[in-house]
Amino acid sequence: MGTLWNVRKAAVIGAGVMGAAIAAHLANVGIPCLLLDLEGLAAKGIARLKETKPSPLYEAEFVARIRPGDLDRDLALLSECDWVIEAVSEKLEIKHSVWRRIDSAWRPGMIVSSNTSGLSINEVTSVCSESCRRHAMVTHFFNPPRYMKLLEIIPCEDTDPRVVEDVALFCRQRLGKGVVKAKDTPNFIANRIGTYAMLVTLQAMEKHGLTVDEVDAVTGPLIGRPKSATFRTLDLVGLDTFLHVCRNVRENVADPLEAAAFSAPAIIEELVAKGWLGEKSGGGFYRKNIAAKGKDRIQVLDPGTMAYVARSKVSSPALEAAKMAAGTTEKLQALLAAADHDRLAAFARDVLEATLCYSAEKLGEIADTAIDIDEAMRWGFNWEQGPFETWDALGLAETVSRLEGRGIAVPTPIAAMLNKDSTSFYARRSGSLFYYSQGQYKSVQEQPEELSLRSLRDRGKTIFAGDGARLIDLGDEVACLEFHSPHNAIGPGVLSAIRQASEEVNRNWRGLVLANEGRNFCVGANLMLLLMEAENGEWEEIELIIREFQTSMKSLRVMPRPVVAAPHRMTLGGGVEACLPADRILFSAETYFGLVETGVGLVPAGGGCLAAAVMAQERAEMAGLDDVTAPISQLFETIAMGKVSESGFHAKRLGYWRSGDGVVIREESRIAEAKSAVLELDRRGYAVPLPDRNVIVGGREAATVLKLGVSSMKRSGYISDHDVLIATKLAEVLTGGDVPAGATVREQHLLDLEREAFLSLCGQPLTQSRMRHMLATGQPLRN
């Protein structure tokens, strides 16, 4: 699907944290951007982008697409821009001053938007001409713009509806955003609901006498919210910013009861008065005690004494039951079931019910549909379920019965639904999703450039389902292998499914996509299984596992049909080794890709070292080099240090990139793009790969060069003796073992070296310690 509007050049006015980050994301997707502010500020904003962590840029070099300018001197340059985004201070008089200037420079066709987080766009644009207002709206990026999916679009009364559609389509397709259309009400959708949810949490905390630790133990993943829960989130947002958001609603809603609900909590007023604003000031509800170590380094505020104290472990029977439950819905049900006899569960019930009721009462006022509100909360606040998805999960009738039993008024929209015998906001019929709106169920329109594996499964498109993976028909004779093991880790079930899929696709299909819709593509191999076998001395069993791993990955490489991998987010260790045999990799923009086996005391042994040697040979040939030492050195450093890409683009800088690989910005398009790539490779006439390639390696001479670098790092104190052992074995595998420089070896020779090095390291006590530490903490151990 094409777009009616294209941005060849954009401008952002305001080089603060948010404005500069918006400019960075425009640069990320290839749009040249003018960044304007008062003299010197734009250049400072750009310089700050280079230092910010996590980086607002997919690649550091993309900052060159941003040009600094002076708002007074360079205002006329706006006429060159297709889109101008105002991102100045959240004060109406300042915005009016900027919008008068924009109006003076406006030309036909230029779209102008404000990045306000809650001010009325009708008030903001009241100083502009009608022609400018017809092309004006709010485009509210959530912070940080690169990482947060939500973009709220709010038109003013005069905005041309076609312009709104053009901007929404562009932001979805080009910027990869989840676009939600909101109404011009205070704080729009996500901040309105999210702020209310935090306020009722603070009220319930006081009612039940809970500590900060207790509140955050309940209001995180246990109820489908981020790990930052309530108070860590407030610290990240900034307590002064939170007060500003509360004030904006309080001063702009007509209902005095609702205004009172947005009254600023005394504890936050007190903290702001002290200058304890959260992370940006060094402390808020949490702070770091630099003198302490480990877990004791983070201290928590005791609101009763206003002193920072050590964190405490929180537990109750209800919490433990919820932790054992399988998913968000089951965890919520476990908590609510204990609400009559467990104070933490009672607290959770009060927070959930108040949030659900408020969301239902705002339906129609802040957004037209439940799906708009749910998407805003999932994309803007990282909730696992939006409020109306939660109504469905807990049951409308059951929740209403619980509310009535406690004397709580049932929201009008909920009562109206039940009166029409409608018992859910969402329904799935024949694989399609429907949502309830204005008395009837409406279909969620699927975009032609998107493919949903869940929808395909619901439509009966599963070809086979194994233990850990399934094969799905994507249409046009292309299949998709979808991992579904815990954390998508690769174990025996996934390996078996890979081999079965290779045989099935070879017989009956045009090609294969490797993709899934899990939180991460694949976190690696099943480390727990390997550790158990190593601790029991089951060396033959470990060797068999590695042989199966290598055989499975090779079955992908030698399949006489094209294979395209489409990884996303964490793609580590064995996940990388599953991608590298593919003919093409289409990275999601947010792909964190790396062979990280050294972090657990091992080397890649599922074909990762073989793939690195092959890539080094190809790069040497392309560069006209006589040997592979230079390209293999880069890959050796990447693998030995366990480097992980900071984006799909950054994978290229680390060396994980082949001709034809690419990056997909819009996450929802990733699988459809991969399918298209398979069909393209098939149409070109796919050449069947050789079953056992010849590989030119660096041999003993290249290994010596790599080992000299390792020795230098050891002398400098950067690595341990065990690091030296691991790196030495890695160097020997990557360079082909004890062979002369430029020797040609068979790929099976490199696979054998991988396996032998892996097995020898598995027997090392220090490696087993690293494996145990990773499983226990999720962090590497350098011993």
Side-chain angles (χ1 to χ4, degrees):
M1 180 187 293
T3 177
L4 299 174
W5 175 63
N6 187 37
V7 180
R8 295 160 296 182
K9 186 175 182 180
V12 177
I13 301 176
V17 171
M18 196 63 186
I22 292 170
H25 193 57
L26 294 169
N28 280 336
V29 301
I31 299 172
C33 188
L34 178 65
L35 182 61
L36 296 181
D37 208 317
L38 300 179
E39 186 174 2
L41 292 183
K44 291 180 180 178
I46 293 172
R48 189 172 58 248
L49 291 175
K50 302 174 185 177
E51 302 167 357
T52 301
K53 296 294 180 183
S55 177
L57 296 155
Y58 290 147
E59 268 281 62
E61 63 189 31
F62 291 173
V63 77
R65 295 171 180 159
I66 307 173
R67 173 186 170 185
D70 178 84
L71 182 58
D72 295 318
R73 186 179 62 248
D74 298 321
L75 184 65
L77 294 177
L78 294 184
S79 64
E80 302 173 1
C81 300
D82 300 300
W83 187 11
V84 176
I85 302 171
E86 167 270 305
V88 300
S89 175
E90 290 282 84
K91 295 180 179 178
L92 192 58
E93 61 273 19
I94 295 176
K95 289 190 181 292
H96 277 169
S97 173
V98 170
W99 276 77
R100 287 189 184 98
R101 297 188 189 195
I102 293 171
D103 191 41
S104 70
W106 187 85
R107 60 166 178 78
M110 179 193 294
I111 290 174
V112 188
S113 66
S114 174
N115 185 56
T116 178
S117 60
L119 296 181
S120 167
I121 186 60
N122 286 295
E123 291 186 17
V124 168
T125 60
S126 63
V127 298
C128 299
S129 62
E130 181 181 353
S131 54
C132 180
R133 290 200 306 273
R134 286 183 61 79
H135 295 79
M137 68 193 71
V138 168
T139 51
H140 180 208
F141 290 82
F142 271 61
N143 190 30
R146 169 186 162 181
Y147 299 96
M148 294 302 291
K149 188 177 181 65
L150 180 61
L151 177 76
E152 292 177 319
I153 290 183
I154 302 92
C156 65
E157 293 172 355
D158 298 318
T159 310
D160 183 337
R162 179 172 172 176
V163 170
V164 177
E165 293 302 320
D166 284 350
V167 174
L169 183 60
F170 179 86
C171 290
R172 279 196 298 267
Q173 291 187 339
R174 189 76 183 274
L175 302 186
K177 290 298 175 185
V179 176
V180 170
K181 295 172 188 174
K183 297 188 176 183
D184 194 17
T185 55
N187 290 11
F188 314 131
I189 300 175
N191 279 341
R192 182 78 164 266
I193 301 294
T195 301
Y196 182 86
M198 287 188 172
L199 288 168
V200 296
T201 299
L202 292 166
Q203 293 163 9
M205 171 188 182
E206 185 175 354
K207 171 185 172 182
H208 292 279
L210 270 56
T211 66
V212 168
D213 275 330
E214 287 175 324
V215 169
D216 274 0
V218 176
T219 58
L222 278 187
I223 62 169
R225 307 285 170 80
K227 289 182 180 179
S228 55
T230 297
F231 292 108
R232 286 187 294 273
T233 297
L234 282 169
D235 278 357
L236 289 169
V237 168
L239 304 188
D240 54 339
T241 301
F242 180 71
L243 286 185
H244 168 77
V245 174
C246 292
R247 184 170 58 250
N248 189 53
V249 178
R250 190 169 63 249
E251 294 177 353
N252 290 284
V253 294
D255 182 356
L257 292 177
E258 184 176 8
F262 281 84
S263 297
I267 179 64
I268 295 185
E269 293 272 23
E270 187 173 353
L271 287 170
V272 171
K274 288 176 173 287
W276 299 359
L277 307 180
E279 190 170 274
K280 62 186 175 184
S281 68
F285 286 99
Y286 294 92
R287 76 170 185 184
K288 288 182 180 179
N289 179 9
I290 299 175
K293 294 183 179 180
K295 293 182 179 180
D296 294 335
R297 194 168 191 180
I298 304 298
Q299 295 180 314
V300 64
L301 183 75
D302 178 350
T305 63
M306 295 301 287
Y308 287 99
V309 298
R311 301 191 61 189
S312 59
K313 183 174 177 58
V314 178
S315 182
S316 82
L319 258 63
E320 297 311 309
K323 288 177 183 177
M324 295 297 291
T328 297
T329 297
E330 291 75 12
K331 292 179 189 300
L332 292 175
Q333 291 171 340
L335 283 173
L336 294 178
D340 290 337
H341 55 267
D342 186 296
R343 69 190 188 103
L344 295 182
F347 161 77
R349 177 197 59 198
D350 289 355
V351 170
L352 283 167
E353 289 179 350
T355 304
L356 293 181
C357 288
Y358 184 75
S359 301
E361 291 291 3
K362 294 298 107 181
L363 184 59
E365 178 185 334
I366 63 175
D368 285 327
T369 69
I371 197 170
D372 288 327
I373 295 176
D374 281 345
E375 288 179 337
M377 299 317 299
R378 283 192 280 105
W379 294 338
F381 274 71
N382 291 323
W383 290 9
E384 286 288 332
Q385 298 175 342
F388 298 100
E389 291 168 320
T390 304
W391 272 104
D392 280 4
L394 299 179
L396 263 67
E398 294 85 347
T399 303
V400 164
S401 176
R402 196 164 49 244
L403 292 173
E404 291 176 334
R406 299 178 59 231
I408 299 174
V410 176
T412 302
I414 302 298
M417 283 182 67
L418 292 177
N419 286 338
K420 292 190 176 184
D421 295 325
S422 297
T423 57
S424 67
F425 281 96
Y426 298 95
R428 284 195 172 270
R429 301 171 183 167
S430 302
S432 296
L433 180 64
F434 292 79
Y435 65 96
Y436 185 85
S437 178
Q438 299 176 337
Q440 59 182 319
Y441 286 94
K442 300 178 180 179
S443 174
V444 176
Q445 297 299 314
E446 295 185 4
Q447 302 298 319
E449 71 275 13
E450 298 177 10
L451 278 174
S452 164
L453 296 180
R454 176 178 177 176
S455 292
L456 290 168
R457 293 198 306 270
D458 289 345
R459 293 172 190 164
K461 298 296 184 179
T462 300
I463 302 164
F464 73 75
D467 179 17
R470 61 175 70 91
L471 193 65
I472 297 173
D473 180 2
L474 296 182
D476 298 315
E477 300 177 73
V478 177
C480 176
L481 184 63
E482 176 192 29
F483 298 171
H484 59 80
S485 59
H487 307 294
N488 285 339
I490 298 178
V494 173
L495 295 176
S496 176
I498 288 174
R499 297 192 296 273
Q500 185 179 350
S502 299
E503 295 172 1
E504 168 66 21
V505 172
N506 178 28
R507 288 193 303 265
N508 300 312
W509 303 81
R510 294 171 69 182
L512 177 68
V513 168
L514 294 173
N516 62 68
E517 295 169 333
R519 183 182 296 274
N520 299 295
F521 177 78
C522 177
V523 297
N526 187 332
L527 190 60
M528 176 64 78
L529 175 63
L530 285 170
L531 177 59
M532 290 172 58
E533 300 289 5
E535 289 179 333
N536 292 331
E538 300 287 351
W539 309 120
E540 291 184 0
E541 187 64 29
I542 293 176
E543 182 173 19
L544 177 61
I545 291 171
I546 300 307
R547 284 187 182 275
E548 287 184 351
F549 206 113
Q550 292 179 338
T551 300
S552 300
M553 299 311 164
K554 185 169 183 177
S555 73
L556 293 173
R557 189 190 72 74
V558 301
M559 191 193 310
R561 307 288 184 188
V563 179
V564 174
H568 68 288
R569 297 190 66 80
M570 288 177 63
T571 305
L572 305 175
V576 172
E577 291 178 308
C579 292
L580 291 176
D583 299 286
R584 186 172 295 178
I585 301 176
L586 293 184
F587 298 90
S588 170
E590 298 299 341
T591 305
Y592 317 124
F593 195 87
L595 292 166
V596 295
E597 285 83 353
T598 58
V600 291
L602 299 167
V603 298
C609 292
L610 164 64
V614 172
M615 286 189 286
Q617 175 186 328
E618 291 171 348
R619 284 168 197 163
E621 291 171 351
M622 290 176 62
L625 300 175
D626 292 333
D627 65 66
V628 300
T629 302
I632 204 63
S633 294
Q634 181 203 13
L635 286 161
F636 170 74
E637 179 181 330
T638 294
I639 299 169
M641 297 182 70
K643 292 182 180 180
V644 177
S645 73
E646 296 177 6
S647 71
F649 292 97
H650 187 228
K652 183 174 185 178
R653 188 176 297 275
L654 294 185
Y656 296 122
W657 194 278
R658 300 88 46 85
S659 176
D661 290 349
V663 175
V664 178
I665 301 295
R666 177 162 166 72
E667 174 62 26
E668 290 85 350
S669 301
R670 176 172 51 89
I671 295 172
E673 293 273 4
K675 173 187 169 182
S676 295
V678 166
L679 294 172
E680 177 193 351
L681 290 167
D682 180 61
R683 282 193 297 269
R684 289 180 179 179
Y686 185 69
V688 177
L690 295 172
D692 191 9
R693 295 168 293 185
N694 288 326
V695 185
I696 298 175
V697 295
R700 290 182 291 269
E701 288 81 353
T704 299
V705 172
L706 301 183
K707 291 174 185 178
L708 284 172
V710 173
S711 297
S712 176
M713 292 188 72
K714 178 63 174 68
R715 288 195 301 272
S716 300
Y718 290 119
I719 60 176
S720 67
D721 288 337
H722 194 51
D723 289 323
V724 172
L725 173 64
I726 299 162
T728 298
K729 289 188 175 294
L730 176 65
E732 291 169 351
V733 176
L734 290 176
T735 56
D738 188 17
V739 296
T744 298
V745 300
R746 307 293 285 179
E747 73 172 50
Q748 188 58 49
H749 171 76
L750 291 170
L751 290 174
D752 292 342
L753 291 178
E754 279 186 357
R755 191 174 63 258
E756 291 164 7
F758 188 96
L759 279 165
S760 67
L761 289 168
C762 272
Q764 293 287 328
L766 291 178
T767 283
Q768 293 176 22
S769 294
R770 290 192 179 194
M771 295 166 77
R772 279 190 293 271
H773 189 269
M774 177 62 74
L775 288 167
T777 69
Q779 300 295 322
L781 172 67
R782 293 297 181 190
N783 53 5

